[in-house]
């Protein structure tokens, strides 16, 4: 790994945590972002010569805080804010953080997530702003998670910041009575953070373990805080049951292994047992919510010894319930795949063709990749190759790209051996 790549990796890993800390110190998202950018610039200049500090996040926080103080000092009209900042930063250095009272959120990053998910903003704006500014995801990553273009998500974030500024919405940690109203947005943030970790938008590897582990850690904190919230319990179950497959998801050299081909003896049985128990608890609440249904689907997969022995009709039925609860093109895509496994590829392909005809998931490689797989199973080779080509033109992650290319080449270069059929 080159020095530049190592710095980039550190910045990506620490950005959200450091920014959350700065917002809590400075009370202003824009000021915190500018200060962190200054700190990263100084790190790029100094670390190659001085060496990377033992605690990069602490270094970035200190330098950014000092940069913010300098910036505020230069701005005469913010003199009052400087006095407040001095007081807060002095307290941060001289006093131990107060013990959280009962009902308080016992994690700084989670507190900031709740703070950022302010009900004055639309739900989509709450989630996008939190993912971009506090969870440390890039604009392309957030755009991919929302299945919209980068300009669209960038404008959404800018508008959210402008509304916070113009309405003078304070960055105040909500009290326990305000948590239920903000909980759905925070759950969405954690779910999407995990999703990006489990299937990275770009980069050489399919999985970003640090994001998966951070999302699970925060979900555990939230579950301890709100143990009677069914969807909170279900989300933690969903993450654990999905993450349990991580050891089997790639080969030693980083190649992607699809669910059908995974060595299930590598799945983490401790996580599966914990996730299964949490699902049972969550599903005691009727009717189940979106995370409860998805966790139930993950539990069915976990119970199956092989892909062929999976209860695909039950999974298709659960996706049908999910489609009625939270209809979306992604749910339809997954329902189509489940129906294809249960009743044959032609059934699933009809749903995927309809999604394509309606213009859903345009710009995402997921729809053409799924169509390519079903067309291949139907021996419609020419159409399958064309669909693989479309998916290859859209996919951003290198591991996924390599997998799709191998599948395509198995059709066009039969001397390399027949394509593996996971049915």
């Amino acid at each position: 790994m080159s020095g530049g790549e190592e710095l980039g990796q550190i910045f990506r890993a620490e950005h959200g945590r450091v920014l959350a800390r700065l917002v809590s110190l400075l009370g202003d998202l824009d000021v915190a972002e500018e200060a962190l950018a200054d700190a990263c610039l100084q790190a790029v200049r100094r670390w190659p010569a001085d060496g990377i500090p033992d605690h990069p996040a602490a270094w970035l926080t200190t330098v950014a805080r000092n940069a913010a103080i300098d910036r505020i000092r230069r701005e005469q009209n913010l003199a009052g804010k400087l006095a407040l900042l001095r007081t807060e930063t002095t307290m941060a250095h001289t006093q131990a953080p107060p013990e959280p009272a009962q009902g308080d959120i016992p994690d700084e990053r989670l507190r900031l997530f709740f703070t950022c998910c302010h009900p004055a903003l639309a739900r989509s704006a709450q989630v996008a702003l939190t993912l971009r500014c506090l969870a440390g995801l890039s604009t392309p990553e957030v755009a991919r998670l929302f299945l919209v273009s980068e300009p669209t998500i960038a404008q959404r974030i800018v508008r959210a910041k402008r509304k916070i500024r113009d309405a003078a919405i304070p960055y105040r940690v909500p009290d326990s009575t305000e948590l239920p109203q903000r909980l759905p947005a925070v759950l969405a943030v954690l779910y999407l953070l995990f999703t990006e970790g489990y299937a990275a938008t770009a980069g050489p590897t399919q999985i970003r373990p640090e994001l998966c582990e951070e999302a699970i850690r925060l979900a555990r904190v939230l579950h301890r805080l709100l143990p009677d919230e069914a969807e909170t319990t279900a989300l933690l179950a969903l993450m654990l049951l999905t993450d349990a497959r991580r050891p089997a998801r790639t080969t030693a050299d980083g190649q992607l292994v699809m669910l059908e081909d995974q060595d299930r003896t590598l799945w983490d049985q401790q996580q599966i047992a914990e996730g299964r128990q949490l699902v049972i608890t969550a599903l005691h609440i009727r009717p189940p919510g979106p995370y409860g249904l998805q966790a139930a689907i993950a539990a069915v997969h976990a119970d199956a010894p092989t892909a062929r022995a999976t209860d695909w009709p039950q999974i298709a039925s659960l996706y049908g319930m999910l489609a009625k609860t939270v209809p979306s093109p992604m749910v339809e895509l997954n329902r189509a795949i489940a129906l294809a496994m249960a009743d044959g590829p032609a059934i699933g392909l009809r749903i995927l063709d309809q999604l394509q005809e309606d213009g859903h998931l345009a710009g995402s490689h997921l729809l053409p990749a799924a169509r390519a797989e079903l067309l291949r199973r139907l021996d419609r080779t020419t159409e399958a190759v064309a669909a693989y080509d479309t998916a290859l033109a859209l996919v951003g992650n290198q591991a996924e790209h390599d997998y799709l290319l191998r599948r395509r080449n198995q059709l066009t270069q039969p001397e390399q051996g027949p394509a593996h059929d996971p049915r």
Side-chain angles (χ1 to χ4, degrees), residues 53-292:
D54 293 337
H55 303 289
W59 190 97
L60 290 168
T61 303
T62 300
V63 172
R65 186 196 62 221
N66 293 340
I69 291 173
D70 290 341
R71 185 183 297 273
I72 292 172
R73 278 175 174 155
R74 290 195 299 267
E75 299 175 7
Q76 295 296 324
N77 62 341
L78 292 179
K81 202 169 188 176
L82 177 59
L84 178 61
L85 172 64
R86 283 173 176 155
T87 300
E88 290 181 345
T89 53
T90 298
M91 289 176 63
H93 281 286
T94 59
Q95 300 179 4
E99 290 296 325
Q102 187 174 7
D104 283 352
I105 307 167
D107 182 275
E108 184 176 64
R109 202 173 197 193
L110 200 56
R111 279 198 294 274
L112 265 295
F113 283 8
F114 272 99
T115 302
C116 204
C117 291
H118 196 286
L121 303 174
R123 176 77 55 79
S124 60
Q126 297 174 32
V127 177
L129 183 66
T130 307
L131 284 170
R132 176 67 187 90
C133 296
L134 298 180
L137 301 192
S138 67
T139 299
E141 290 165 349
V142 178
R144 199 265 304 190
L145 292 169
F146 275 86
L147 298 172
V148 299
S149 68
E150 291 180 34
T152 297
I153 209 70
Q155 291 171 5
R156 190 176 298 175
I157 293 170
V158 168
R159 284 197 297 270
K161 287 183 176 178
R162 187 181 301 139
K163 183 164 185 176
I164 289 173
R165 184 196 62 207
D166 294 347
I169 297 172
Y171 281 96
R172 179 184 59 79
V173 179
D175 61 39
S176 58
T177 62
E178 298 172 284
L179 299 188
Q181 186 180 17
R182 302 186 186 205
L183 181 61
V186 173
L187 292 178
V189 169
L190 298 184
Y191 174 66
L192 293 176
L193 181 63
F194 178 84
T195 300
E196 178 60 23
Y198 198 69
T201 300
T205 60
Q206 173 71 3
I207 300 171
R208 295 175 63 184
E210 77 281 4
L211 293 186
C212 293
E213 290 161 8
E214 176 68 354
I216 291 174
R217 184 188 73 80
L218 292 172
R220 284 191 188 281
V221 174
L222 196 53
H223 177 57
R224 285 196 295 270
L225 181 68
L226 303 168
D228 297 328
E229 287 287 345
E231 282 291 87
T232 302
T233 304
L235 178 59
L236 178 57
L238 172 60
M239 290 182 182
L240 291 171
L241 290 166
T242 306
D243 192 63
R245 306 176 204 150
R246 182 151 50 106
R249 196 147 183 267
T250 57
T251 61
D253 59 356
Q255 291 189 18
L256 178 62
V257 181
M258 301 305 284
L259 176 65
E260 294 87 347
D261 302 321
Q262 291 175 10
D263 178 358
R264 300 184 181 216
T265 64
L266 298 177
W267 288 4
D268 188 324
Q269 293 303 317
Q270 187 173 347
Q271 278 192 319
I272 288 174
E274 183 183 1
R276 188 182 287 119
Q277 188 57 49
L278 288 167
V279 170
I280 293 170
T281 301
L283 293 184
H284 280 157
I285 306 297
R286 297 287 181 176
Y291 298 118

Side-chain angles (χ1 to χ4, degrees), residues 32-50:
E33 283 191 308
E34 291 170 359
L36 181 53
D38 288 343
C40 290
L41 184 59
Q42 289 197 45
V44 169
R45 291 170 177 164
R46 293 171 54 179
W47 288 2
D50 299 345

